[in-house]
Amino acid sequence: DTAVSQTPKYLVTQMGNDKSIKCEQNLGHDTMYWYKQDSKKFLKIMFSYNNKELIINETVPNRFSPKSPDKAHLNLHINSLELGDSAVYFCASSQETAGGGEQYFGPGTRLTVT
Amino acid sequence: GENVEQHPSTLSVQEGDSAVIKCTYSDSASNYFPWYKQELGKGPQLIIDIRSNVGEKKDQRIAVTLNKTAKHFSLHITETQPEDSAVYFCARSTGGTSYGKLTFGQGTILTVHP
């Protein structure tokens, strides 16, 4: 069974469109994250939710809006897509956060904006 | 700040040799230091981690050392194998109210030649 799953795996779209990426974890974790990995492989956190509550919101354009319908799901909606949004987006989840703990990453969604 | 510097950016070794990747951090409140391995087309996966109250940790061919005074930590892989070829990321967090926010290094592309 896949622990953290994301759909779609690939997403090609044009500038100005709105798109969503879905994430689900079956690990029973309380915390979920969205990361962006750019073309140079640099990984940077975007958002984190703990029990459906937003707790980390890095300096991300407000065109990006995460939504957590329940603690097993964290979706990412992107409005008015721009060329610079092209990247691989990873969802992750973890149980322990207070003292640091393993984060389980999904397989990634490669977004290409043309 | 929260930045993490990772070196080298690429590392090429012969099978059976050792590989060492080093990271330095600036935030003295950092207390959790994981290492992630990312294979091509996959999400990062935790391979080993260390907390600030420990100086060294080993798991089979992988070891991590932490020097809190100098604010650097290193990953050591012995008896490298071709399947160790991947991108390796160091990271740090402060736990507590940071809710598991990880700051990643820039990554090291490790190539093990058979």
Side-chain angles (χ1 to χ4, degrees):
Chain A
D1 277 348
T2 304
V4 181
S5 59
Q6 294 178 230
T7 54
K9 188 165 176 62
Y10 300 97
L11 186 52
V12 180
T13 188
Q14 292 185 327
M15 280 194 304
N17 285 347
D18 303 338
K19 291 291 178 186
S20 291
I21 306 171
K22 295 186 176 182
C23 177
E24 176 181 1
Q25 54 97 3
N26 62 6
L27 299 167
H29 290 166
D30 290 333
T31 307
M32 296 185 72
Y33 311 82
W34 276 110
Y35 287 88
K36 180 180 181 180
Q37 186 171 46
D38 63 23
S39 58
K40 295 184 180 179
K41 299 286 189 184
F42 186 62
L43 262 172
K44 185 169 169 55
I45 191 165
M46 300 172 69
F47 303 102
S48 173
Y49 270 73
N50 180 266
N51 279 316
K52 301 195 301 175
E53 184 181 343
L54 180 66
I55 53 173
I56 295 176
N57 185 348
E58 290 296 283
T59 49
V60 178
N62 56 15
R63 298 182 294 104
F64 291 78
S65 54
K67 281 190 172 51
S68 183
D70 55 62
K71 74 174 194 176
H73 295 84
L74 180 62
N75 304 322
L76 183 65
H77 188 76
I78 316 169
N79 288 330
S80 303
L81 278 154
E82 300 178 357
L83 291 176
D85 298 331
S86 295
V88 181
Y89 292 84
F90 287 99
C91 176
S93 72
S94 69
Q95 184 56 37
E96 180 186 359
T97 56
E102 181 171 4
Q103 293 187 15
Y104 294 77
F105 283 78
T109 296
R110 181 175 293 277
L111 171 65
T112 303
V113 183
T114 61
Chain B
E2 299 175 338
N3 287 346
V4 180
E5 292 292 324
Q6 182 173 346
H7 297 281
S9 55
T10 61
L11 181 57
S12 184
V13 299
Q14 288 294 128
E15 183 176 359
D17 288 350
S18 294
V20 180
I21 303 170
K22 298 182 178 180
C23 289
T24 58
Y25 61 96
S26 53
D27 185 355
S28 56
S30 302
N31 58 11
Y32 175 65
F33 307 89
W35 286 88
Y36 282 80
K37 175 183 180 182
Q38 185 178 21
E39 296 178 342
L40 195 62
K42 296 184 178 180
Q45 185 174 12
L46 181 75
I47 54 171
I48 195 167
D49 57 10
I50 192 168
R51 299 180 191 276
S52 58
N53 58 349
V54 176
E56 184 174 357
K57 184 176 178 180
K58 190 173 180 180
D59 182 5
Q60 298 183 330
R61 298 187 295 108
I62 295 172
V64 57
T65 59
L66 171 64
N67 183 326
K68 285 176 56 181
T69 304
K71 294 183 188 161
H72 65 69
F73 56 113
S74 300
L75 177 71
H76 305 253
I77 306 174
T78 57
E79 301 171 30
T80 53
Q81 301 165 3
E83 50 265 38
D84 293 331
S85 297
V87 183
Y88 290 80
F89 293 95
C90 63
R92 46 71 64 199
S93 73
T94 55
T97 56
S98 75
Y99 284 94
K101 177 184 172 184
L102 288 175
T103 304
F104 284 88
Q106 298 93 331
T108 297
I109 301 172
L110 172 65
T111 304
V112 181
H113 298 281

